[in-house]
Amino acid sequence: MQAWVGLGHGMQLISDGSVVYAEALWDHVTMDDQELGFKAGDVIEVMDATNKEWWWGRILDSEGWFPASFVRLRVNQDEPMEDYPLKVEGGKDDDSSSGTRRFGMGQTSKDQMRTNVINEIISTERDYIKHLKDICEGYIKQCRKRADMFTEEQLKTIFGNIEDIYRCQKKFVKALEKKFNKDHPHLSEVGSCFLEYQTEFQIYSEYCNNHPNACMELSRLTKVNKYVYFFEACRLLQKMIDISLDGFLLTPVQKICKYPLQLAELLKYTNPQHRDFKDVEAALNAMKNVARLINERKRRLENIDKIAQWQSSIEDWEGEDVLVRSSELIYSGELTKISHPQAKSQQRMFFLFDHQLVCCKKDLLRRDILYYKSRINMDDMEILDVEDGKDKDFNTSVKNAFKLHCQDTEEVHLFCAKKPEQKQRWLKAFESERRQVQLDQETGFSITEVQKKQAMLNASKQQHTGKPKGKWCQLQIHNQELRFTQYATT
């Protein structure tokens, strides 16, 4: 017996006895014991693909039928299970036998494997474009016709900026197709396309950050039958596969994470002498950075709730909210602040955020309570290291000191740490703060007014849930993450 199985848009004949592996694109949840359930990303051994729509497969000890449209075949079937798809070592094969498995009509070269990866990249991009089109035309277009059911704000929450992603991907797939060598696919030079679009791919950050909100809103709507029927009617009208809307909306999140895997696989089968090698190598690093940036932005957005909670715990807060200008705690600790006149010294807690340094005072009796005292705009400041000894400006002896100096107003702030290593940590923290501000400007990172207001609203609600007044959240730095420790009052 022979089985026909799909590889991208083409069909490949695989002889009986071959082990064929597929990767799940979607979750397949089933209560039928004849069907095989799996999660997106699972690798399935395809045992029977004679039926076009339903295949028989195995995962570990479980076997069953599953919809063929829910999976894609692994590009190069010779990859060991435990290594797929991450087995990459700088584009060079560890095993000299890699690339020697027989493909198609007797081709055994590494070029054939590169052809498979190129075809896979082009094929999945075309499929993805259709998928985005279906969402935009099948769902968003229909939803906009029903102003009685959806507000524009709701649609923005559910679909995020997926229309922007659709426009970007249409341009990207055209660029890929221009670089595609139909006669000799292995000679295609696609690396430059990824390099060209690496900045535009940053729009996925907004989509990924919004995705949890989309899931919550959909969950709320689908508790009402008319929305369930409406979404199903949209899917049927657009002739989309049997997946719920939240499943379709997960695809852009999965897609941006797939690019580094595809490029890693492409690099593996690209000879260092290939004209595309350097661009693929650079593209892999670029797309890893895009994925890293998206993860970093996600972390930053998760932190704004914690910053809002921290601010709500501070007594006598004055002025604008921290979140108006800041979204990251860089460093915090206790310092002695020396002020004019008479070089008056005060012990204070300082919290260095991007753009501002917030000063608080501990309660004399209840040390778990902080009072707001002041803040310093870091955008106007330069950091000055101060030697131990007599300081001329303040006419006092100092140790482990540094100054913040405003060049416009000549305003000077003098601080002393308890130990030399604490001073050094603060000096490094000020450097980190400037780097963070510069990076945010370069990458266009910002928090929307809606996100800021929601964070403060959430914090305000928590303050009114009957928790004891007098608790404060201490912000701590650990591996560049915000960690909050609640201190109970006695």
Side-chain angles (χ1 to χ4, degrees):
M1 186 189 84
Q2 291 180 323
W4 287 90
V5 291
L7 181 58
H9 285 306
M11 302 296 285
Q12 183 178 5
L13 185 64
I14 296 191
S15 301
D16 184 35
S18 295
V19 178
V20 179
Y21 292 109
E23 180 186 1
L25 297 172
W26 317 89
D27 290 354
H28 182 229
V29 181
T30 178
M31 296 180 73
D32 187 337
D33 59 7
Q34 285 289 301
E35 290 184 25
L36 183 68
F38 48 72
K39 290 192 171 293
D42 285 351
V43 176
I44 303 146
E45 183 182 342
V46 182
M47 303 170 73
D48 185 351
T50 50
N51 185 294
K52 185 179 177 183
E53 295 184 357
W54 285 86
W55 293 352
W56 184 269
R58 175 168 61 201
I59 300 176
L60 300 176
D61 297 328
S62 302
E63 292 187 16
W65 295 104
F66 63 92
S69 58
F70 277 42
V71 305
R72 75 172 181 102
L73 287 186
R74 282 185 2 182
V75 182
N76 290 311
Q77 292 288 329
D78 71 326
E79 292 282 9
M81 280 287 289
E82 64 272 15
D83 289 350
Y84 186 84
L86 297 172
K87 195 181 87 175
V88 179
E89 292 293 336
K92 299 177 184 177
D93 296 328
D94 293 333
D95 186 348
S96 59
S97 66
S98 178
T100 60
R101 185 179 182 274
R102 190 166 293 276
F103 280 84
M105 303 301 293
Q107 293 184 354
T108 59
S109 69
K110 193 172 181 178
D111 290 344
Q112 178 60 51
M113 289 187 167
R114 190 173 203 273
T115 292
N116 292 344
V117 180
I118 292 286
N119 285 336
E120 165 76 359
I121 290 172
I122 298 290
S123 168
T124 54
E125 280 305 313
R126 288 169 179 162
D127 289 343
Y128 182 48
I129 284 293
K130 182 184 181 303
H131 175 92
L132 293 174
K133 181 182 178 182
D134 284 345
I135 293 173
C136 293
E137 296 185 5
Y139 284 104
I140 300 178
K141 198 173 179 181
Q142 297 301 326
C143 288
R144 286 201 173 116
K145 293 178 183 177
R146 297 299 304 268
D148 58 316
M149 291 177 70
F150 303 96
T151 65
E152 269 301 317
E153 189 175 339
Q154 272 181 310
L155 295 182
K156 180 68 178 171
T157 300
I158 295 169
F159 298 101
N161 63 334
I162 202 165
E163 289 172 305
D164 295 335
I165 288 174
Y166 179 37
R167 283 189 285 271
C168 173
Q169 293 294 149
K170 279 196 290 187
K171 291 187 291 180
F172 177 63
V173 79
K174 282 182 182 177
L176 275 179
E177 286 172 340
K178 281 182 182 177
K179 296 287 188 178
F180 181 57
N181 186 327
K182 292 180 182 177
D183 296 327
H184 304 287
H186 69 280
L187 297 178
S188 300
E189 299 173 32
V190 299
S192 59
C193 297
F194 287 92
L195 291 174
E196 184 184 345
Y197 281 83
Q198 61 177 306
T199 303
E200 292 195 46
F201 283 143
Q202 290 177 13
I203 63 172
Y204 276 85
S205 178
E206 181 183 333
Y207 186 86
C208 294
N209 290 334
N210 177 70
H211 187 253
N213 300 329
C215 293
M216 284 191 288
E217 182 64 16
L218 272 180
S219 177
R220 190 181 68 81
L221 292 179
T222 50
K223 287 174 183 171
V224 182
N225 282 339
K226 72 172 182 177
Y227 287 98
V228 176
Y229 298 143
F230 177 79
F231 289 138
E232 179 63 3
C234 290
R235 185 188 70 79
L236 292 171
L237 190 65
Q238 195 68 17
K239 297 178 181 176
M240 300 167 76
I241 63 171
D242 190 9
I243 295 284
S244 60
L245 177 54
D246 58 344
F248 285 120
L249 293 177
L250 180 62
T251 309
V253 180
Q254 295 171 327
K255 185 65 178 176
I256 199 66
C257 297
K258 284 282 184 186
Y259 282 136
L261 300 179
Q262 285 183 320
L263 287 166
E265 197 171 15
L266 181 61
L267 186 63
K268 175 173 180 170
Y269 297 115
T270 303
N271 285 315
Q273 295 78 25
H274 197 295
R275 288 173 58 178
D276 201 24
F277 182 84
K278 286 185 178 179
D279 279 350
V280 172
E281 193 173 42
L284 173 57
N285 289 327
M287 294 311 295
K288 279 181 179 177
N289 286 335
V290 169
R292 199 175 293 120
L293 176 67
I294 290 170
N295 287 332
E296 171 64 10
R297 288 185 172 190
K298 183 174 184 293
R299 184 189 68 79
R300 294 277 293 278
L301 281 174
E302 288 170 351
N303 277 340
I304 68 171
D305 281 327
K306 296 173 184 177
I307 292 172
Q309 289 167 24
W310 169 81
Q311 182 188 312
S312 69
S313 73
I314 306 297
E315 299 289 331
D316 301 339
W317 187 270
E318 291 180 12
E320 66 185 19
D321 294 333
V322 175
L323 292 177
V324 170
R325 302 188 64 223
S326 305
S327 60
E328 177 87 338
L329 174 71
I330 309 296
Y331 194 66
S332 66
E334 204 162 3
L335 290 168
T336 299
K337 184 174 186 290
I338 300 174
S339 311
H340 286 306
Q342 288 116 24
K344 183 182 176 183
S345 64
Q346 299 167 317
Q347 286 291 112
R348 294 286 184 260
M349 280 294 299
F350 288 91
F351 299 86
L352 178 62
F353 297 89
D354 53 309
H355 298 289
Q356 59 187 312
L357 179 68
V358 177
C359 172
C360 295
K361 177 185 177 182
K362 285 184 180 180
D363 188 275
L364 291 174
L365 298 176
R366 298 174 66 182
R367 306 293 282 176
D368 56 324
I369 297 177
L370 285 179
Y371 297 92
Y372 174 85
K373 299 308 291 182
S374 63
R375 74 182 86 191
I376 296 171
N377 180 4
M378 293 306 300
D379 294 342
D380 298 333
M381 295 292 161
E382 64 172 334
I383 317 302
L384 302 174
D385 193 352
V386 177
E387 292 183 5
D388 291 352
K390 186 91 168 181
D391 182 78
K392 294 178 182 177
D393 293 333
F394 286 77
N395 194 31
T396 187
S397 294
V398 294
K399 196 173 183 181
N400 308 320
F402 59 86
K403 289 178 182 176
L404 299 184
H405 172 240
C406 179
Q407 290 178 316
D408 293 338
T409 64
E410 293 302 321
E411 178 185 7
V412 180
H413 303 274
L414 177 62
F415 304 90
C416 293
K418 288 181 179 177
K419 297 177 181 178
E421 54 267 29
Q422 290 175 340
K423 170 186 168 178
Q424 290 306 315
R425 282 199 285 268
W426 273 105
L427 292 178
K428 286 180 181 177
F430 288 124
E431 290 176 5
S432 297
E433 185 271 338
R434 286 295 89 189
R435 279 199 302 270
Q436 186 69 68
V437 169
Q438 185 178 354
L439 182 63
D440 288 348
Q441 289 172 346
E442 290 172 357
T443 59
F445 176 80
S446 63
I447 296 170
T448 66
E449 290 303 315
V450 173
Q451 288 167 330
K452 292 173 188 175
K453 286 176 182 175
Q454 188 60 50
M456 293 308 297
L457 184 64
N458 293 343
S460 176
K461 284 179 182 177
Q462 285 202 1
Q463 284 292 95
H464 294 90
T465 55
K467 291 180 181 177
K469 191 168 171 127
K471 275 191 173 186
W472 64 278
C473 297
Q474 181 181 358
L475 287 76
Q476 298 177 319
I477 312 295
H478 182 67
N479 291 335
Q480 296 186 326
E481 291 183 15
L482 282 178
R483 297 291 176 91
F484 289 75
T485 307
Q486 289 268 337
Y487 285 85
T489 56
T490 54

